[in-house]
Amino acid sequence: MDIRAMRYFVAIVDHGSLTRAAEVVCVAQPALSQQLAALEEEFGVPLVHRGAKGVRPTEAGKTLYRHIRNILRQVEIAGADVRVAGSEISGNVAIGLPTTAAAAFGMPLMRAVRQRYPQVRLQLFESMSGYISELLNQNRLDFAILFRDTASRAVEPEPLASEPLYLIGTPPGRTTRSATIALKALDGIPLVLPSGSQGLREVVERSFAKAGIALNVVADLDSLPFLLAAAREGLACTVLPASSLGESPGAEGDGAGDGDGDGKGDAEGGIGRRLILPELRRTLSLCWPRALPRSNAAEAVAEILREIVAVRIAQGGSLAPPPSPAAPAGR
């Protein structure tokens, strides 16, 4: 199996069609079919299911696909590093950003990279953290910003900052206006939250369980606009950091974006927000896939992100230095 055969197989799986894959890699379909047959003969197992609607990988094919993606990515990184050795940093850098992180850091990152490293081509993937984690585990990203502080066999996190979580919306029956709310007061109230694969959901579940209170999730919404809309319309409350409301640096302190101390922000049309006490915190980490070498370009872009986060911490707002290793996660 050579590099060309690897690229052919990736194209077949990515496009789910021999015809489309042949067009993409600029080879005749019969030749592509022969390459696929040769691979199956080499490994002694079927690599794809063939059907009227195209092809899809078998379990063996999925395993081979993962390994090939890793190999091709390492070949790309090696080539980029060799070409730029002793010269200007260049190459592609693929980064995953959850929606809230993209809003806070996306544009500052793009500006700084364009200014310092004009030969670096950024690929930014914005989505909920669960999907970003999948891309990271598949080694399709150079690194990602994720809200997690625990390592795994596939991912090595580098904590950058932490931020407190707020109750967004007004709990049923609550008439007093306050900048804070006790965690115990959230016992059983209707909540909309990201699904269980998201880092924020894990923090909330862990904190509610530790406090011995009921978590009443009425809908799983992997969409920041939907979470905010549900809170705005009074359908249910949600739990988010202040940065999700478009908080500007220095806005934190009284728990209110409008500065009157009543816990009601103005950045999202007056959605009430209350700091949960004792504090629930989530950790913002730069996450590296262990299976991939770090290219010079990726390291350079990561350093810019570290600088941007450090500036945000210095300016105030919701970001703070990450907790020490001894501090309990999510607190």
Side-chain angles (χ1 to χ4, degrees), residues 123-142:
Q123 295 175 291
L124 300 183
F125 296 83
E126 178 190 347
S127 185
M128 297 299 286
S129 59
Y131 178 65
I132 296 298
S133 294
E134 289 182 17
L135 293 178
L136 196 64
N137 290 335
Q138 294 169 3
N139 298 316
R140 299 181 67 175
L141 302 173
D142 288 283

Side-chain angles (χ1 to χ4, degrees), residues 115-286:
Q115 180 179 10
R116 295 192 207 175
Y117 307 113
Q119 300 304 314
V120 170
R121 178 180 177 181
L122 284 182
Q123 295 175 291
L124 300 183
F125 296 83
E126 178 190 347
S127 185
M128 297 299 286
S129 59
Y131 178 65
I132 296 298
S133 294
E134 289 182 17
L135 293 178
L136 196 64
N137 290 335
Q138 294 169 3
N139 298 316
R140 299 181 67 175
L141 302 173
D142 288 283
F143 62 84
I145 291 292
L146 288 173
F147 298 99
R148 59 182 291 178
D149 54 7
T150 55
S152 69
R153 290 191 303 173
V155 175
E156 178 183 352
E158 175 192 329
L160 298 178
S162 72
E163 57 183 346
L165 298 179
Y166 289 74
L167 182 73
I168 309 298
T170 302
R174 178 173 285 270
T175 56
T176 58
R177 305 175 75 185
S178 172
T180 64
I181 188 168
L183 177 61
K184 292 280 188 181
L186 308 187
D187 189 2
I189 72 167
L191 292 174
V192 288
L193 293 174
S195 65
S197 62
Q198 317 297 336
L200 185 144
R201 176 67 169 267
E202 294 175 0
V203 171
V204 173
E205 288 182 346
R206 188 165 59 234
S207 300
F208 273 56
K210 186 175 181 179
I213 59 178
L215 178 61
N216 179 20
V217 179
V218 299
D220 299 291
L221 304 177
D222 287 341
S223 164
L224 179 60
F226 280 155
L227 290 170
L228 294 174
R232 183 185 298 109
E233 295 186 19
L235 301 177
C237 295
T238 189
V239 176
L240 292 168
S243 57
S244 299
L245 302 178
E247 175 207 61
S248 58
E252 190 182 31
D254 61 5
D258 54 6
D260 61 9
D262 63 4
K264 186 174 183 178
D266 59 4
E268 287 291 335
I271 304 178
R273 83 178 192 202
R274 295 170 175 82
L275 179 66
I276 301 171
L277 297 177
E279 280 192 359
L280 278 61
R281 301 192 73 89
R282 69 174 185 176
T283 299
L284 178 75
S285 294
L286 196 160

Side-chain angles (χ1 to χ4, degrees), residues 21 24 43-44 47 54 87 89 97 99 103-104 151 165 194 208 219 231 235 240 295 312 317 319-321 329:
V24 171
F43 288 103
L47 297 176
S87 61
I89 291 176
L97 296 171
T99 303
L165 298 179
F208 273 56
L235 301 177
L240 292 168
S295 69
R312 288 296 182 94
L319 292 182

Side-chain angles (χ1 to χ4, degrees), residues 73 77 92-95 140-144 287-289 292 295 298:
R73 183 62 178 144
I77 290 172
N92 295 337
V93 179
I95 308 171
R140 299 181 67 175
L141 302 173
D142 288 283
F143 62 84
C287 296
W288 298 91
L292 289 182
S295 69

